[in-house]
Amino acid sequence: MIKNATAIIPARAGSLRLKNKNRALLWGDPLVVWTIRACLNAHYVDKIVVASDDNIILSMAAAFQVITHRRHAVDDHESKITACRSIALANVEADSPLVIVQANSPDIHYEDIDEAIKNVQRGDRLECFSVDNNLEQIGALRAYRHPMHLFTPHLSYKSKVIQIDCSDIHTQEDIDVLEKRGKPDHMR
């Protein structure tokens, strides 16, 4: 039986390459809103936490009736995993699966989120992370069997990867490319 997971969407205000990146509009809505919708559509997510130092992002998230978590301002040098540790401690039950979904991957498919959650509950896998079509790691999503695995000081040898086709938005050019390509079918 697959246990439902808590999804954490870290969505900080700052960005070096694109000011207010997670609020940037794509197909008429902010990037973070597309990610929230993907998590809401996922079958194995029963709790969503949007964590931000940006009051506007927190207000957008609250409109979807998800949990909001005010976090301290961070810079580009703090890892997403480090930022999510305190959020997980405050919002995720100790024996629940956890998935971290990047706010700036607006075209992520809810089925990929579900697949990552299922992967960490099969066999002895402790975590599952996303790779692109070239099998290079991308930050779109990372799932853990339990939130305590966020605190492991080394890479897990019990990992699985999931190959997904989604964006990793960092610049206005990235947004322009997606706008021209149009919404993927799963987002219509």
Side-chain angles (χ1 to χ4, degrees), residues 60-128:
M60 284 188 267
F64 286 91
Q65 300 179 341
V66 302
I67 298 166
T68 58
H69 181 98
R70 177 110 177 110
R71 64 184 254 208
H72 66 282
V74 296
D75 60 28
D76 277 348
H77 303 292
E78 182 179 39
S79 77
K80 192 181 323 176
I81 303 304
T82 301
C84 288
R85 286 178 176 153
S86 63
I87 300 162
L89 286 174
N91 294 285
V92 183
E93 294 177 29
D95 63 342
S96 292
L98 163 69
V99 62
I100 299 169
V101 187
Q102 182 169 268
N104 57 308
S105 291
D107 52 346
I108 192 163
H109 198 298
Y110 73 88
E111 290 177 350
D112 293 330
I113 296 168
D114 282 339
E115 188 62 29
I117 294 165
K118 289 190 288 187
N119 281 334
V120 295
Q121 296 183 62
R122 293 181 183 139
D124 64 349
R125 300 294 177 213
L126 301 178
E127 65 181 300
C128 177

Side-chain angles (χ1 to χ4, degrees), residues 37 48 53 59 62 71 74 104 117 144 151 167 179 181:
R37 286 182 181 139
I48 301 167
D53 56 341
S59 293
R71 64 184 254 208
V74 296
N104 57 308
I117 294 165
Y144 296 90
F151 296 89
S167 305
E179 281 283 0
R181 196 181 314 161

Side-chain angles (χ1 to χ4, degrees), residues 33-54:
V33 166
W34 292 109
T35 304
I36 292 168
R37 286 182 181 139
C39 290
L40 287 168
N41 288 327
H43 297 109
Y44 299 118
V45 171
D46 65 357
K47 183 169 29 171
I48 301 167
V49 180
V50 174
S52 185
D53 56 341
D54 183 324

